[in-house]
Amino acid sequence: MIDLLRLVRPNNLLLAAAGVLAGGWIALGTLQVPNVLGLAAVSAVGFGTAGYVLNDIWDRAADRVNRPGGERPLAAGRVMRGTADLCVAGGALLGLGAAALVNGTAVLVGLVALAVLVAYSPVLKRRGALGNVAVAVLAGLPLMYGAIAVGRPAAGILPWTLAAWIHLVREIVKDIDDQAGDRVLGRRTLPLVLGPRRASVVAAALAAAFVPLSLALPTAAHYHAAYFVIAVFAQLVVLAVASRLFTGHTQGNSRLLKGAMLVGIAALVAGRVA
């Protein structure tokens, strides 16, 4: 059971569900949870399950190199391939089924997301920056998905943009850490194409650019002062990561960015409902 939970990444699934709820709250301007928003959160958990397990299926060889400690149960042989396939199918069915109870747009977005998830590891990840952009767009999608669920998709554009931007930085950072395994699979990730030093500079530049963007867009959208008070903590972390990347410190940046994302989501909600 523990290995099965590790396979589906429950912490990340909870984060995806929280992102959907946050997107709905931002769009509504209140902390209500209508049925369609709850169903959208369930849908995101389903799609997330399918995506994470599918990624582990494709990445078994790379994970044996990048994570020799056995933290990926499929690569370590502690979970059977058939079980993983069932998780993918079950997650996809849950995602689409719940989306169908939300609205037609949610179903369409879910189908597109599922197609990108299927293509990511075998196709998009081999295309360097294209793969990074694709997964960043998907990773930021829960905030937009929540806005779509409550019928106010325009309100989800700003949160989606900021989330996708910071996810893009994190994806490049993760690729820097995963060079050995990606080389085994013949992938052309940014660090393998440009070299780890240049890829770090690209990630640092994107991280530094995030800070003015995260100030300008909410200002233009008339977010409340609470956003700017809370967001400053996330912005400081992002700037610290940019500094670390510029100076060649690559370890631990992914976790720092994940923490910044959580604070950022809280700031976005506070900026609309406070």
Side-chain angles (χ1 to χ4, degrees):
M1 178 60 73
I2 292 177
D3 284 328
L4 194 59
L5 287 174
R6 286 177 177 169
L7 181 67
V8 301
R9 321 276 215 287
N11 291 341
N12 289 352
L13 295 180
L14 287 174
L15 184 58
V20 173
L21 295 177
W25 294 336
I26 292 166
L28 292 171
T30 180
L31 297 180
Q32 296 177 2
V33 184
N35 289 338
V36 286
L37 186 57
L39 287 167
V42 171
S43 177
V45 168
F47 287 129
T49 297
Y52 288 126
V53 178
L54 193 59
N55 185 69
D56 276 11
I57 290 173
W58 285 108
D59 281 8
R60 283 173 295 172
D63 285 340
R64 293 187 187 106
V65 176
N66 292 329
R67 296 169 177 82
E71 62 183 272
R72 291 288 189 263
L74 189 61
R78 298 194 305 272
V79 172
M80 302 299 294
R81 170 63 189 272
T83 302
D85 290 340
L86 285 174
C87 288
V88 173
L93 288 173
L94 176 63
L96 289 172
L101 298 175
V102 176
N103 55 46
T105 303
V107 173
L108 179 60
V109 170
L111 287 170
V112 172
L114 196 58
V116 174
L117 288 170
V118 170
Y120 172 62
S121 286
V123 179
L124 297 176
K125 196 167 184 177
R126 297 178 182 273
R127 301 296 188 272
L130 178 60
N132 294 141
V133 171
V135 76
V137 167
L138 281 188
L141 189 58
L143 289 160
M144 171 59 90
Y145 206 54
I148 289 171
V150 298
R152 300 181 183 179
I157 295 175
L158 187 157
W160 185 18
T161 299
L162 294 179
W165 192 288
I166 202 66
H167 272 290
L168 177 59
V169 177
R170 187 166 182 256
E171 284 305 308
I172 298 173
V173 166
K174 287 165 63 178
D175 281 349
I176 293 170
D177 293 337
D178 290 346
Q179 290 176 82
D182 288 337
R183 188 177 288 111
V184 168
L185 294 182
R187 289 170 172 163
R188 292 179 56 79
T189 61
L190 215 58
L192 292 177
V193 173
L194 299 179
R197 176 58 187 157
R198 290 182 178 178
S200 293
V201 170
V202 170
L206 288 169
F210 172 80
V211 175
L213 186 73
S214 67
L215 291 171
L217 293 183
T219 297
H222 306 292
Y223 271 58
H224 303 317
Y227 165 80
F228 300 95
V229 173
I230 299 172
V232 70
F233 296 99
Q235 291 159 349
L236 288 173
V237 171
V238 173
L239 285 176
V241 170
S243 176
R244 287 167 57 87
L245 289 167
F246 270 127
T247 56
H249 293 85
T250 59
Q251 298 300 314
N253 292 321
S254 179
R255 288 186 179 183
L256 288 172
L257 289 170
K258 194 169 187 177
M261 291 175 195
L262 290 171
V263 176
I265 290 174
L268 288 165
V269 172
R272 273 308 190 212
V273 304

